Amino acid sequence: MALSRRTFGGLAGTAVLGLALGGSVGGSSGAVAGSGASSGVPTGAPPAPPAADGRRHDVRFDRHSLLVDGRRLVLWPGEMHYFRLPSPSLWRDVLEKMRAYGFNAVSVPVPWNVHSPAPGRHDFTGVRDLDLFLRTAAECELYVILRPGPYLGAGLDAGGLPGWLTAARGRARTTDPAYLRHADAWLAAVDAVAVRHLYTRGRGTVLLYQPEEAPDTADADAYAAHLRAKIRADGVDVPLVSGYAEQTAAHGAAGVRRLGLARLADGAALPGALLAFGGTSWGWLAAPGAPAAYDRGAALDAGRQPTDELAATHQIGHLLRHVPDFARLERAAEVRGADERLAVAHLANPDTGTHVYVVRNDSAADVSSPLPGTGIDVPVTVPARDAKLLVAGLPLGAGRKLAYSTAQPMVFLSAGERDIAVFTGRRGEMAHVVLDFPATPRPWRLDEEAAWAYDDRGRLQVTAPLGDGGLIRVRIDGGGSERPLLLLFADDETSLRLWPCRTPSGPLLVQGPALLRSASVDRGTVRLTGDTTEENGLEVWGPRGVTDVTWNGTARPVRTSRSGGLTALRPLPGAPHVVLPALGGWRRRTENPEARPGFDDGDWTAAVRKTSHGTTPVPKAQPVLFADDYGYHYGDVWYRGRLTGAAGLTSVSLAYRTGSGGLLMAWLDGEPLGTHRMPPPEENPAGKDTWAATARFRLPAGLRERLRDRPHDTPVLSVLVRRTAHGQDGGGRGTHKAARGLTGAFFQGASPEVRWRLRGAGAPDPVRGPLNNGGLYGERHGWHLPGHDDGGWEETAFPRGDRRQGVTWYRTEFRLSVPRDVDASVGLVLDDDPGRAYRVQVFLNGWNMGEYVNDAGPRRPVALPNGILRTRGANTLALAVLADGTTPSGPGEVRLTLLGAAAGGVPVTPVDSPGR
């Protein structure tokens, strides 16, 4: 089955990015972007790595690629959510890893709700310092695709729209003037930062700017045009990217290959970004149903550790960076596999004669089949639900060509006196590389696993079993060239120890360490910095004249290897053992005094509004109870209603709205009525705000009798609503304005009058931001903060099995003593009987690191990012446990775990974590 490039890409859920017309796209020429016609720019060396170099740059595009200063640039972007890593020092760690692992651009969503606690207020300080992030990206030589929305949709509360917008006038994502005033103010605030980092002006590396894709509304075109005009008026002159759609997540190495190679086959000049680092949905960031660890399908997990997706990302990224033939590919003659289960996309470079075949297997079984018409004269095997990139006719210098290969090329570069070609594949595969030479070559087997044969057609056929013996080397002399050709064969795991890079002195290839952060050449010395996790050898192929190597500032004795590289005489040391303390010394205190009838709520907000700007109807003859209308936008909210005329009351029905996994619990005159939970995420389609329910509670017999016997009492109905998120305004439907919290109260057996008061989160934390805190009593009184005095709390230990409706807090302190030169990523494990119905908010040094739900969702460690976590000092851990009272509530085991450790890392500055 042969597929067109459009169909092939559609199968992978890809989106082709275009550039908006109607404005300058930068550079000294101020030219307007073309619509896709070929510019005639030939294949050649890519532009130098980007930097804030003070020079003007010209940025254009044609249907093949970006054109930067007249050179073709293939972008391989990874998306990073800096706001999900509230430790600015670690932004550099992730960006350096992205660059090392093959990405050359970072796509950066900038959420409005993270930066805007109130209308007209925009905060870019501390963990929200966008200017610092963009400076760091430039220092890490990464282009930036800036995505400030206003609507993002990337698994965020309300798609990134701020909570206060739900109670404001105007319909979001339309030309409604009331909304545009807020959106324009947001874009002006972001653009004031962006213009200081535009690549076109040499101020930074912001190469592209991506406003939100207009929703499917009647005024969508006018809305999109307004956003573009506003951005241009603010001085942003880089190309504006349009046509973006959220991508299907790529899971595992096979998923990345399927998605990444499909984008290549589809011929997108600007492919959408893969998720490089998602991080954690700390605080109340997450959208309904979004996981606490936003790292599924990411190249780096929430603890900044490699995932299964990384090897494929690394291989494809370096291929596109180091082999310019992929910058200009045309659709070529149709190719069909002999087995119809293989779909083939065929492309060719008209300048170099290189042919590219993307072969995809959507079946559930491995498929081995010939590919007639490709010149590949051996069967090609593609594992189940995987894809493979085959290349033929690739020039390898000095008249040599790659006739074809069943292994994917990763790198071709010239280092000093030799050319180097790297081929990769899955462990257990047999790599088959066939080379054309203008004269007879002289191959040398440097590792026993390789084999070769030279035939009468002038072709050298080399085979190597991938994964056997690590890196396999074959050196080829002669063949019509004075420069030897070094072939390197690596499986996925081994490829992650290969680091190609460019320096002003020439290309380098480094093999061995777990991560290469930087490389430079200084008067015959190669200076390398990076990370090691275990003992590993080190080999460097570099420019002519290099004789010495340093690693993280320490000279490493080397010798020249048979492959022509510099090999360290002793292995690089691994990371020392990191010891984590046991968590003990716990103190405990119950809360929710709001449930008691005598609680003083005199300073709470009276629910007196009659109308709302939201989209949820207000029940007849009842006040507005929606939390957002009273300024409570995130986290838990409490309601207390005083009932007059409650004699005869038999049951209470409470209508409420939350988000996925939300709940409501109620008390009447201090007696628990019970808890109601929203259905799981799979029962509500994504993008639809159907998270509404009615909780019906029948009063216990004793309480009914008491109300009958005391008709003049004014019992208090106390209600706690845990909201999880605002709706996603995915289609401009205004779902973000749907109510959250209690929406109505209905009674059976009596018709009492009710005077409501409510209370949610206090003023936004000036350091931690508006999304950190909710409305629990302990949060409002600082129980989560490191400076809180818990001396009067009860001493306790885990496991616990309380059976109580409401909230219980636990606090402890612990100290860490991680060696200074070790980057230790630490997580928190909560483990218990999964049948116990409770959830935990985890606070580290006052920072809300997210919610753990014991009886639903993934049971994974909660990442504790360094900076917030003091790896050399004291830390305060607080747990707010919310239980429905139907089962023992726990927690069970609470312990620290090591997510990963490396010798190296980046310097980490402690994040400001004020106490009371």
Side-chain angles (χ1 to χ4, degrees):
M1 177 179 61
L3 299 182
S4 70
R5 285 161 67 186
R6 179 180 298 276
T7 304
F8 201 104
L11 285 173
T14 61
V16 179
L17 300 185
L19 298 182
L21 303 179
S24 169
V25 298
S28 55
S29 66
V32 176
S35 61
S38 177
S39 65
V41 175
T43 302
D53 55 14
R55 302 175 182 174
R56 302 284 293 187
H57 294 280
D58 184 78
V59 182
R60 304 167 184 263
F61 81 109
D62 65 11
R63 60 193 175 94
H64 301 295
S65 69
L66 274 169
L67 303 172
V68 175
D69 297 330
R71 295 186 176 187
R72 292 198 174 277
L73 172 68
V74 180
L75 280 190
W76 183 243
E79 183 158 291
M80 177 184 173
H81 297 181
Y82 69 92
F83 50 91
R84 285 194 167 99
L85 182 59
S87 179
S89 299
L90 295 183
W91 297 346
R92 180 178 297 276
D93 175 69
V94 173
L95 291 170
E96 287 184 351
K97 287 175 178 173
M98 287 179 63
R99 177 72 185 177
Y101 286 120
F103 293 109
N104 61 358
V106 55
S107 176
V108 188
V110 185
W112 189 357
N113 57 359
V114 169
H115 293 273
S116 182
R121 290 178 54 193
H122 304 103
D123 183 357
F124 292 93
T125 63
V127 299
R128 297 163 293 278
D129 192 342
L130 178 62
D131 189 88
L132 172 61
F133 182 87
L134 296 178
R135 291 200 311 271
T136 306
E139 292 165 2
C140 294
E141 298 184 341
L142 288 169
Y143 294 105
V144 173
I145 305 170
L146 199 64
R147 293 211 295 121
Y151 176 82
L152 293 173
L156 289 160
D157 181 282
L161 300 178
W164 54 260
L165 194 66
T166 65
R169 294 181 181 274
R171 185 181 176 191
R173 309 185 69 203
T174 70
T175 55
D176 186 317
Y179 168 71
L180 290 181
R181 282 194 295 272
H182 296 303
D184 286 353
W186 163 242
L187 289 177
V190 176
D191 294 346
V193 178
V195 295
R196 300 198 294 268
H197 300 273
L198 298 177
Y199 186 65
T200 47
R201 303 183 188 181
R203 297 177 177 177
T205 58
V206 175
L207 183 73
L208 301 172
Y209 186 113
Q210 184 178 314
E212 72 165 271
E213 187 71 7
D216 185 16
T217 56
D219 62 351
D221 290 343
Y223 176 60
H226 176 92
L227 296 182
R228 293 196 300 267
K230 169 59 181 171
I231 293 161
R232 292 300 189 210
D234 287 341
V236 175
D237 63 0
V238 298
L240 303 183
V241 179
S242 63
Y244 175 81
E246 288 191 55
Q247 302 300 309
T248 303
H251 302 308
V256 172
R257 279 189 290 268
R258 285 161 57 90
L259 183 58
L261 296 180
R263 290 173 179 172
L264 182 68
D266 199 51
L270 301 173
L274 294 164
L275 183 61
F277 176 83
T280 60
S281 293
W282 63 276
W284 300 99
L285 275 172
Y294 198 81
D295 60 2
R296 190 177 178 211
L300 299 168
D301 66 19
R304 300 172 290 114
Q305 304 303 304
T307 67
D308 292 341
E309 287 77 9
L310 193 58
T313 293
H314 184 63
Q315 295 161 11
I316 297 173
H318 282 295
L319 175 68
L320 299 179
R321 183 187 298 177
H322 293 278
V323 182
D325 302 63
F326 287 84
R328 190 184 183 198
L329 293 176
E330 301 274 2
R331 185 176 180 181
E334 182 177 327
V335 169
R336 294 177 180 270
D339 190 312
E340 64 179 10
R341 290 174 294 176
L342 296 185
V344 184
H346 178 201
L347 306 103
N349 186 303
D351 300 327
T352 66
T354 298
H355 288 258
V356 174
Y357 304 94
V358 177
V359 188
R360 177 176 169 138
N361 175 14
D362 287 331
S363 76
D366 295 356
V367 175
S368 184
S369 169
L371 297 179
T374 63
I376 301 173
D377 54 14
V378 296
V380 172
T381 301
V382 184
R385 298 188 178 91
D386 208 331
K388 178 171 283 192
L389 176 68
L390 306 176
V391 179
L394 177 68
L396 296 179
R400 300 170 300 212
K401 275 197 173 183
L402 174 66
Y404 67 84
S405 171
T406 63
Q408 178 178 306
M410 173 177 159
V411 170
F412 176 68
L413 54 80
S414 297
E417 300 175 350
R418 67 201 52 79
D419 297 326
I420 304 175
V422 179
F423 296 90
T424 63
R426 278 63 104 199
R427 182 179 181 86
E429 291 184 344
M430 179 65 73
H432 194 130
V433 172
V434 180
L435 304 164
D436 286 327
F437 288 89
T440 303
R442 299 189 306 275
W444 299 87
R445 182 170 54 195
L446 304 181
D447 294 285
E448 293 298 322
E449 293 81 6
W452 66 81
Y454 187 65
D455 63 27
D456 55 7
R457 294 177 297 172
R459 285 188 163 181
L460 178 69
Q461 301 195 31
V462 182
T463 58
L466 300 178
D468 291 348
L471 189 67
I472 300 174
R473 306 162 177 83
V474 175
R475 173 175 167 164
I476 305 172
D477 294 334
S481 172
E482 296 181 358
R483 294 177 59 83
L485 174 63
L486 181 64
L487 303 182
L488 303 179
F489 297 91
D491 67 348
D492 287 351
E493 181 180 357
T494 305
S495 74
L496 289 171
R497 299 295 178 125
L498 286 170
W499 309 103
C501 55
R502 286 187 286 178
T503 75
S505 302
L508 288 171
L509 180 62
V510 178
Q511 189 269 335
L515 179 70
L516 182 69
R517 294 184 181 271
S518 70
S520 62
V521 179
D522 179 18
R523 291 178 293 184
T525 299
V526 178
R527 303 188 184 279
L528 307 175
T529 68
D531 298 359
T532 58
T533 55
E534 56 193 19
E535 281 196 355
N536 268 102
L538 174 68
E539 188 165 9
V540 180
W541 295 273
R544 295 175 186 266
V546 297
T547 57
D548 299 291
V549 175
T550 68
W551 175 257
N552 288 341
T554 300
R556 310 298 302 185
V558 294
R559 61 174 175 81
T560 302
S561 68
R562 290 196 299 161
S563 63
L566 297 177
T567 301
L569 298 180
R570 295 190 300 274
L572 300 177
H577 181 61
V578 174
V579 178
L580 299 177
L583 297 177
W586 289 96
R587 293 179 176 274
R588 171 180 181 270
R589 183 175 179 182
T590 59
E591 61 137 274
N592 49 281
E594 300 93 337
R596 296 195 289 267
F599 178 79
D600 182 5
D601 58 16
D603 61 348
W604 285 25
T605 303
V608 295
R609 294 178 179 269
K610 300 300 183 183
T611 60
S612 171
H613 293 304
T615 57
T616 301
V618 179
K620 185 177 180 180
Q622 294 198 35
V624 173
L625 295 175
F626 315 152
D628 289 290
D629 286 59
Y630 297 96
Y632 303 126
H633 303 303
Y634 302 110
D636 301 296
V637 61
W638 274 96
Y639 296 84
R640 283 172 56 85
R642 285 181 165 78
L643 280 57
T644 302
L649 186 65
T650 59
S651 64
V652 176
S653 297
L654 299 171
Y656 74 110
R657 303 179 71 102
T658 60
S660 170
L663 58 78
L664 172 148
M665 52 183 58
W667 296 258
L668 184 60
D669 249 15
E671 291 197 28
L673 297 182
T675 298
H676 185 278
R677 296 172 64 164
M678 286 291 179
E682 58 269 18
E683 295 184 18
N684 282 298
K688 294 185 178 181
D689 187 63
T690 55
W691 302 104
T694 298
R696 295 177 174 86
F697 301 110
R698 182 168 178 80
L699 273 60
L703 183 56
R704 295 198 304 269
E705 292 175 4
R706 190 165 76 238
L707 294 179
R708 284 196 303 267
D709 294 342
R710 299 159 64 178
H712 300 296
D713 281 2
T714 56
V716 176
L717 178 61
S718 300
V719 182
L720 174 63
V721 179
R722 169 147 293 182
R723 305 169 302 165
T724 51
H726 296 93
Q728 289 282 300
D729 204 354
R733 297 182 295 269
T735 55
H736 75 286
K737 296 176 78 71
R740 287 298 185 259
L742 197 61
T743 59
F746 309 92
F747 305 93
Q748 293 77 43
S751 300
E753 294 183 5
V754 188
R755 290 176 291 122
W756 288 102
R757 290 182 178 272
L758 69 159
R759 181 68 186 267
D765 188 313
V767 171
R768 300 175 179 93
L771 292 159
N772 193 72
N773 296 351
L776 295 181
Y777 183 90
E779 291 176 289
R780 303 198 309 267
H781 290 80
W783 293 9
H784 61 299
L785 297 176
H788 179 72
D789 182 5
D790 58 11
W793 290 28
E794 170 193 354
E795 294 184 0
T796 191
F798 295 138
R800 286 198 63 90
D802 300 63
R803 190 184 293 266
R804 174 179 180 270
Q805 177 178 298
V807 183
T808 304
W809 284 76
Y810 301 88
R811 284 172 55 95
T812 191
E813 291 190 357
F814 64 92
R815 297 188 66 88
L816 296 179
S817 299
V818 177
R820 295 186 187 277
D821 60 348
V822 173
D823 177 11
S825 180
V826 178
L828 183 73
V829 173
L830 294 98
D831 194 15
D832 206 343
D833 175 356
R836 293 188 173 188
Y838 68 90
R839 55 190 64 190
V840 183
Q841 284 175 263
V842 177
F843 291 92
L844 176 66
N845 295 325
W847 290 83
N848 183 348
M849 301 314 304
E851 183 182 57
Y852 167 85
V853 182
N854 186 66
D855 58 340
R859 303 170 67 81
R860 300 176 56 187
V862 177
L864 306 177
N866 299 347
I868 289 178
L869 179 71
R870 308 294 194 251
T871 58
R872 294 183 60 80
N875 298 273
T876 299
L877 182 63
L879 308 178
V881 179
L882 177 64
D884 65 11
T886 62
T887 69
S889 69
E893 181 184 13
V894 182
R895 57 184 169 84
L896 300 175
T897 188
L898 191 64
L899 303 177
V906 298
V908 176
T909 301
V911 176
D912 190 12
S913 299
R916 291 186 65 86

